[in-house]
Amino acid sequence: ATCTPALARGSCRSAARSRAGAGTRMARPSRRPPPAAARRTTTCWRTCWRTATRWPSAAPSSCRACCLPSPARTATPPSAGTALPRVRLLQRARAAGQRGRARRRAAAGAGRQAGVIVYKLGPAAAELTNLEASVWRLDRYFNAARRYPVVVFHDEPLARAVEARVSSLSSGSLSFARLANELPAGLPREMAPAQVHGFNLSYRLMIRWKAGLLWGMPQLRGYEFVWLLDTDAFLLAPLTYDPFALLAASNASYGYVDVNVETGAVAEGLAECVEAF
């Protein structure tokens, strides 16, 4: 329904600059709805986001196209009704703050846990670039203070220089482990199709490893909790509580941040297979 700040930052800046023309100085962000004469030069994404959510009619057309849900794309003047979304946003923010404080209290009471952070590095070159960015942000926003060990499992052999470069991004222990990526016993490689529903063999081997083989890895013995991160998972702000401690305090076996509906063609028969196993 609404775009992310990153999307707004790129689209609204480029659109407003093209209207203002070269050499036009961009106006500073304002907390008030921009007057008509200043709308074309107000390009900061914060102003775009604020204008779109508080005063729909005051947002430039380019901002309305990317920042507003379709029912709010109107040219009506601001009225009492436009304050309702803001109230809801504030209520959600307060609720999120209360949940965050509760998590911090629970995690603080549980203390440090036997946890390990795990990455699975695939063969694609882009995954290594993402891994470096993810490890750096993980260390900056969480692990520099916690010092939980990090293990990177990878498919292809890595040069010593690459391992040293990635390890230098982490304040704590960071190690590497090579995966064999073996097919199930009794299934010859020539019988494994190259593509299944658009997913190649390398991706399917990774899913198989995460689904079960991960938990038998000798590198993870002695740990009670595993935090599994994709190479393109990035912390964008400080994590103010310890997820491992929160799991322990909640007596939980599994933690997640998102729920999605799986594609039927992929999930068909999965529940029955798990039950039979």
Side-chain angles (χ1 to χ4, degrees), residues 47 122 149 153 170 178 198 214 223 225 230 272:
T47 301
F153 292 94
S170 177
R178 178 85 183 274
L214 160 69
Y223 295 111
F225 297 102
D230 290 336
E272 294 77 7

Side-chain angles (χ1 to χ4, degrees), residues 27 76 95 129 137 145-146 160 163 176 180 189 193 205 209 211-212 232 236 249 255:
T76 57
T129 303
R137 286 167 172 79
R146 310 287 183 176
R160 292 290 181 86
E163 293 185 358
F176 295 85
R189 183 168 288 268
L205 286 171
W209 179 77
D232 58 351
L236 303 180

Side-chain angles (χ1 to χ4, degrees), residues 6-216:
L7 176 61
R9 177 168 55 240
S11 59
C12 297
R13 275 184 177 173
S14 60
R17 282 178 180 170
S18 65
R19 291 195 302 270
T24 302
R25 186 174 181 178
M26 298 297 121
R28 293 177 62 83
S30 171
R31 290 185 176 275
R32 298 179 179 178
R39 288 176 196 166
R40 293 187 178 182
T41 57
T42 306
T43 59
C44 174
W45 72 264
R46 292 184 179 88
T47 301
C48 168
W49 181 268
R50 192 159 46 234
T51 300
T53 53
R54 296 185 183 180
W55 303 283
S57 64
S61 59
S62 60
C63 295
R64 288 203 301 272
C66 71
C67 296
L68 291 180
S70 54
R73 293 177 187 166
T74 62
T76 57
S79 62
T82 59
L84 184 58
R86 181 186 176 189
V87 171
R88 290 179 178 173
L89 289 175
L90 291 175
Q91 291 174 344
R92 292 178 182 178
R94 292 192 187 101
Q98 292 172 356
R99 290 194 298 270
R101 287 188 290 273
R103 289 168 180 166
R104 287 192 291 272
R105 287 194 298 269
R112 183 179 176 86
Q113 301 296 311
V116 61
I117 302 170
V118 170
Y119 285 95
K120 168 61 175 64
L121 178 64
E127 290 198 31
L128 179 58
T129 303
N130 286 339
L131 174 66
E132 294 177 355
S134 181
V135 170
W136 182 83
R137 286 167 172 79
L138 173 69
D139 190 75
R140 178 181 181 183
Y141 292 130
F142 173 75
N143 212 31
R146 310 287 183 176
R147 298 295 181 96
Y148 281 106
V150 180
V151 181
V152 178
F153 292 94
H154 54 96
D155 299 327
E156 304 296 330
L158 295 177
R160 292 290 181 86
V162 173
E163 293 185 358
R165 187 173 70 246
V166 177
S167 298
S168 67
L169 301 174
S170 177
S171 301
S173 166
L174 191 149
S175 58
F176 295 85
R178 178 85 183 274
L179 294 178
N181 272 344
E182 298 176 349
L183 289 171
L187 179 62
R189 183 168 288 268
E190 57 271 14
M191 292 183 61
Q195 297 281 334
V196 175
H197 297 300
F199 298 102
N200 58 30
L201 182 59
S202 175
Y203 183 87
R204 282 150 36 215
L205 286 171
M206 180 266 293
I207 294 298
R208 178 174 183 262
W209 179 77
K210 286 184 177 181
L213 301 181
L214 160 69
W215 311 107

